[in-house]
Amino acid sequence: MTRVEADDLIAFTTAVFRAHRLPEADARASAEALCHGDTTGTSSHGVANLTRIYLPLLRSGRANPDAKPERLVDRGPTLLVDGDRALGLWLAGAAMDLATIRAADYGVGVVSVRNATHFGCAGHHALRAVERGMIGLVLANCGHQRIAPAPVGGPELLGTNPLAVAAPAGRRPPFLLDMSTTTAPTGKVRAAARAGERIPSGWLAGPAGPETDPAALDAGTARLTWLGAPGPAEHKGFGLGLAVEVLAALLPGAGLGPLSTGTEDDDVGFFVMALAPDTLRDGFTEDSEALFSAVAGAGAQYPGEPESLRTRQSHADGVWIADPVFHELRAVADECGIRPPTAL
Amino acid sequence: MTRVEADDLIAFTTAVFRAHRLPEADARASAEALCHGDTTGTSSHGVANLTRIYLPLLRSGRANPDAKPERLVDRGPTLLVDGDRALGLWLAGAAMDLATIRAADYGVGVVSVRNATHFGCAGHHALRAVERGMIGLVLANCGHQRIAPAPVGGPELLGTNPLAVAAPAGRRPPFLLDMSTTTAPTGKVRAAARAGERIPSGWLAGPAGPETDPAALDAGTARLTWLGAPGPAEHKGFGLGLAVEVLAALLPGAGLGPLSTGTEDDDVGFFVMALAPDTLRDGFTEDSEALFSAVAGAGAQYPGEPESLRTRQSHADGVWIADPVFHELRAVADECGIRPPTAL
């Protein structure tokens, strides 16, 4: 493992996106979104995906560095946006910023996005609402990419269809649920495969039952399961995945996994919503702080608490990068003619 | 089992609520919501709960038969409503009707409700949006009632915190996800206990692992688990339960499980949302029909499909009621001075 400063990693990633012709603000926002994975300890969704997802998207032309998203419909609290194949890393945050502006007036703001690309950690974008004292919801499908079949098996139908819900909690770390509706995201399965580790029973299902070899996913000998597996309620996780497909992709008219004949995650759809509690009542933040204090006081960490602690540590002490990923970053730096992050 | 006509069961249940001083329209809407459980085959949430939940609510005064819900804040697409302790069975549907009216103008309508009571099947209320060609979301917490602890154990913190998402699918049955965020709702655990049956491994967790005796819940020797149990991702189900608590109860200022000192499901909160796809784009319903045709064509039943088929059967052939429940209904009829449903 190699340790680097969080700000150095973000500056490096910004420079990589600049070198791929993104404007400064979009490059910076994309870098912050991508490094959210590393600073929160979700390294499966961090800079490891630079060479796996985002640079291939830009180099192949599937993502548009000069994207100018267009507001196709504007009904006040609800907008339909064509993402113009922008990097989802910055587009989703911009959508949330717009949703919060409308929510400040109307109580709710919904930005329904089509023609987008992969946005990294859903939670990063949901947290932008929390900065404005609001509740944020972010859902995405995986466009034309189909990764997981129904619990009964059969052809792949949907992506991992993530969802995030964030809420302010006063002086406590914000509540932040950020999850794939599959039991585990593909990024974590592949990170385990790269590390040569077994995965927990339940992430993958093979013909004979739970499969703990992560390589079985890309070998095609096991399927990604839905939340609930291997328990009695996997149909609920599949239903949640379908609900995300409806809200994030069917609503805006984005690519739909079950109707796709392609294999790439193009024409991704987002559902981005902000709710402004202060437009409805006083005391929301105080009540939220009390709520999450009570949950924490009962001995239960709540989603967002460990990630918040880890983020603080990352900014104070640096971020740990797996050595193979650090080597990749150095190669990217050479290609872009920029300096790599400094190993501490 | 006793078979009765669906319309007869609804008329009887309407008469029971009328006898408990509900106005005709509210009694009828409540009966339709309650019998949705029986007609869809979810008998754990049907008329079996008349004597278990709703009549005790009315007789104790915890539910107000004359309730006149008040719009505390109206921001156009977003409203805050005090439920005046109305039966949730009709209040949630009325909230959805209001949400759809606002969504027709604004694209989205959100009705945030506090001071409500138990609403039966979330899906019944979400389906009201589908009748208007819209997507419906319905979430509720359980007010002051705490049923399930965190996955690490400890004191009970939250209710079963259900959520429902419904969407039109053209000539196909609507998509309808209707689920508790716990692995199973308490109603199904108790129905199994009444029937003397074991429950699937994963619904309850005892000190030594999964518990399949449903009586262990009310005996206090096992806890209700969250979606994901006994698999590796129960923390996600707990996170979903907390997300429902935030949206349904923290937003409107309803009773919060973790802060409660009571035991009853008073001051329940709802989050009711309608989204009007036709305000954003053409072709939504056609695309939805194609989407769910593709899912069904892949051999996967989607949520709402079996329930829709069962509802059609129930209206054609009658509804089956467990004999102990039918005896209860006869006793209720005697008490109310009305005629019981006719056994076919």
Side-chain angles (χ1 to χ4, degrees), chain B residues 128-154:
Chain B
R128 296 178 87 98
V130 171
E131 291 168 19
R132 293 159 181 82
M134 298 186 189
I135 299 170
L137 264 88
V138 175
L139 284 62
N141 87 330
C142 299
H144 292 297
Q145 190 177 33
R146 289 150 297 146
I147 302 169
V152 293

Side-chain angles (χ1 to χ4, degrees), chain A residues 19 33 64 76 82 120 123-124 146 149 155 159 177 216 241 249 282 302 327-328:
Chain A
N64 175 9
D82 182 298
H124 176 78
R146 289 149 298 148
L177 176 69
D282 294 330
Y302 60 85
H327 290 307
E328 290 170 10

Side-chain angles (χ1 to χ4, degrees), chain A residues 73 75-80 103-110 112 114 135 137 150-155 157-158 163 165-168 175 177-185 200-203 227-240 242-243 245-247 249-254 256-259 271 273 275-281 284 287-288 290-292 294-295 298-303, chain B residues 73 75-80 103-110 112 114 135 137 150-155 157-158 163 165-168 175 177-185 200-203 227-240 242-243 245-247 249-254 256-259 271 273 275-281 284 287-288 290-292 294-295 298-303:
Chain A
V73 180
R75 301 191 73 92
T78 316
L79 296 100
L80 176 67
D105 282 337
Y106 292 103
V108 63
V110 171
S112 179
R114 66 191 188 200
I135 299 170
L137 264 88
V152 292
L157 289 174
L158 300 175
L163 66 87
V165 183
F175 171 73
L177 176 69
D178 181 359
M179 55 175 263
S180 59
T181 47
T182 49
T183 307
S201 176
W203 285 15
L227 177 60
E234 192 185 358
H235 60 284
K236 291 188 179 184
F238 179 56
L240 285 171
L242 283 169
E245 194 81 6
V246 165
L247 290 164
L250 184 62
L251 180 61
L256 294 167
L259 296 181
F271 179 85
M273 179 165 76
L275 292 156
D278 292 348
T279 65
L280 295 183
R281 72 178 187 94
F284 172 87
D287 290 348
S288 185
L291 169 63
F292 287 104
V295 173
Q301 271 198 324
Y302 60 85
Chain B
V73 180
R75 302 191 71 91
T78 317
L79 295 100
L80 177 66
D105 283 337
Y106 292 103
V108 62
V110 171
S112 180
R114 65 191 188 201
I135 299 170
L137 264 88
V152 293
L157 289 174
L158 299 175
L163 66 88
V165 183
F175 171 72
L177 177 68
D178 181 0
M179 55 175 263
S180 59
T181 49
T182 49
T183 306
S201 175
W203 285 15
L227 177 60
E234 192 186 358
H235 60 285
K236 291 188 180 185
F238 179 57
L240 285 171
L242 284 169
E245 193 81 6
V246 165
L247 290 164
L250 184 61
L251 181 61
L256 294 166
L259 297 180
F271 178 85
M273 178 164 77
L275 292 156
D278 292 349
T279 64
L280 295 183
R281 71 179 187 95
F284 173 86
D287 290 348
S288 185
L291 169 63
F292 287 104
V295 173
Q301 270 199 324
Y302 60 84

Side-chain angles (χ1 to χ4, degrees), chain A residues 53-326:
Chain A
I53 296 176
Y54 303 103
L55 298 187
L57 270 173
L58 288 163
R59 286 170 181 163
S60 66
R62 288 171 49 224
N64 175 9
D66 298 318
K68 302 278 178 289
E70 187 186 356
R71 298 179 190 181
L72 301 175
V73 180
D74 185 344
R75 301 191 73 92
T78 316
L79 296 100
L80 176 67
V81 170
D82 182 298
D84 196 21
R85 295 181 293 113
L87 272 195
L89 288 170
W90 70 263
L91 177 62
M96 181 55 89
D97 291 349
L98 180 54
T100 61
I101 289 167
R102 299 308 173 91
D105 282 337
Y106 292 103
V108 63
V110 171
V111 181
S112 179
V113 182
R114 66 191 188 200
N115 203 14
T117 64
H118 198 284
F119 67 20
C121 293
H124 176 78
H125 311 297
L127 281 174
R128 295 178 87 97
V130 170
E131 290 169 20
R132 293 158 181 82
M134 298 186 189
I135 299 170
L137 264 88
V138 175
L139 285 61
N141 88 329
C142 298
H144 291 298
Q145 190 177 33
R146 289 149 298 148
I147 302 169
V152 292
E156 284 79 13
L157 289 174
L158 300 175
T160 52
N161 288 13
L163 66 87
V165 183
R171 288 162 296 185
R172 296 199 62 88
F175 171 73
L176 176 58
L177 176 69
D178 181 359
M179 55 175 263
S180 59
T181 47
T182 49
T183 307
T186 47
K188 287 198 178 180
V189 177
R190 293 191 176 125
R194 287 197 296 276
E197 292 164 358
R198 309 296 289 187
I199 52 172
S201 176
W203 285 15
L204 295 180
E211 169 65 63
T212 59
D213 176 4
L217 177 63
D218 285 325
T221 55
R223 70 170 177 88
L224 208 58
T225 64
W226 296 96
L227 177 60
E234 192 185 358
H235 60 284
K236 291 188 179 184
F238 179 56
L240 285 171
L242 283 169
V244 171
E245 194 81 6
V246 165
L247 290 164
L250 184 62
L251 180 61
L256 294 167
L259 296 181
S260 167
T261 52
T263 57
E264 303 282 22
D265 53 346
D266 294 322
D267 198 5
V268 168
F270 303 158
F271 179 85
V272 175
M273 179 165 76
L275 292 156
D278 292 348
T279 65
L280 295 183
R281 72 178 187 94
D282 294 330
F284 172 87
T285 304
E286 293 77 4
D287 290 348
S288 185
E289 183 174 318
L291 169 63
F292 287 104
S293 294
V295 173
Q301 271 198 324
Y302 60 85
E305 214 181 0
E307 294 83 353
S308 186
L309 190 67
R310 179 69 174 263
T311 300
R312 220 175 308 152
Q313 286 176 339
S314 294
H315 283 279
D317 306 333
V319 177
W320 290 96
I321 309 278
D323 289 330
V325 173
F326 192 71

